[in-house]
Amino acid sequence: RTRLTHTLEVMQVARTAARALRLNEDLAEAVALAHDLGHPAFGHAGEEALDEVMRAVGGFRHYEQSLRVVQLLEVRVRADGTAVRGLNLTWEVLDGIGAHSKGLADLPAAHHTGSEPLPATLEGQIVRIADRIAYVHHDTDDAIRAGLITERDLPGQVRRVLGATRGQWIGTLVQDLVAASISGMIELSDDVRA
């Protein structure tokens, strides 16, 4: 799989959840499509290597690079032919891009009180969780397809909560995200988070 297939999976999960929750699907899609533009080659290993060599100047974080791409590096041409640096994105999209990145353990449980700010919009919060859903499923699927593990090697608790097969996992996770978020706080249930 590639960064592109991951991005498309994040976008599909985010749009589906946003639609079910009657939120702005287009905003969720825009954040999802741009959320990983700043990833270097070799995924998280590349990010860690760049972070190490750039430590003297503040390090490297792919979500900050994603913002640089859309605000500085990308050039658009106005109707009058003038070239302008940066895309014409709303602050909601920029906020979602910049605040999407956290590990699964850092995803908020009910009544988030962590020090890291969440994205300002519910759509940005959906993308943050959709990213985790997509990459955990993606990594597990890749390990199974490579023959490193089988579906039956997953802990029984995981199979009981998510389903017995890969085909059930995404559906269960998206349904849980929607059901747990009906109250207005975007989250996964404690059963799925465990």
Side-chain angles (χ1 to χ4, degrees):
R1 297 209 183 157
T2 66
R3 180 70 48 205
L4 176 60
T5 57
H6 166 74
T7 297
L8 293 173
E9 289 171 357
V10 172
M11 185 269 300
Q12 186 61 55
V13 169
R15 275 196 78 94
T16 300
R19 177 178 294 159
L21 293 167
R22 298 179 183 243
L23 297 172
N24 185 335
E25 295 174 56
D26 294 334
L27 174 56
E29 180 176 6
V31 172
L33 289 174
H35 84 283
D36 273 349
L37 286 174
H39 256 297
F42 308 108
H44 291 283
E47 183 172 8
E48 290 169 11
L50 279 174
D51 186 48
E52 185 176 322
V53 298
M54 294 179 66
R55 198 157 286 139
V57 293
F60 179 87
R61 285 165 288 289
H62 80 273
Y63 54 92
E64 290 176 355
Q65 182 65 10
S66 294
L67 288 171
R68 278 187 209 98
V69 168
V70 299
Q71 291 180 303
L72 181 65
L73 300 177
E74 191 64 34
V75 176
R76 63 187 165 93
V77 179
R78 292 184 175 153
D80 67 2
T82 307
V84 180
R85 286 196 174 276
L87 300 177
N88 187 19
L89 300 176
T90 65
W91 74 264
E92 293 91 346
V93 173
L94 296 172
D95 174 77
I97 294 168
H100 87 273
S101 189
K102 283 289 154 203
L104 187 58
D106 296 323
L107 285 176
H111 312 297
H112 172 73
T113 58
S115 61
E116 289 291 325
L118 293 174
T121 66
L122 296 176
E123 294 84 355
Q125 293 173 36
I126 286 173
V127 171
R128 185 176 164 114
I129 294 176
D131 187 30
R132 268 21 130 258
I133 289 171
Y135 83 63
V136 168
H137 182 266
H138 195 141
D139 288 352
T140 305
D141 190 49
D142 284 350
I144 290 169
R145 289 177 11 165
L148 301 173
I149 61 171
T150 68
E151 288 175 348
R152 304 200 97 228
D153 291 331
L154 290 167
Q157 177 65 14
V158 171
R159 291 192 320 251
R160 276 189 294 285
V161 172
L162 298 183
T165 66
R166 288 175 279 174
Q168 296 171 317
W169 300 342
I170 290 281
T172 299
L173 288 164
V174 172
Q175 290 171 5
D176 183 80
L177 172 59
V178 170
S181 302
I182 291 285
S183 66
M185 177 156 180
I186 306 301
E187 60 189 349
L188 294 170
S189 71
D190 288 338
D191 287 344
V192 167
R193 285 177 49 82

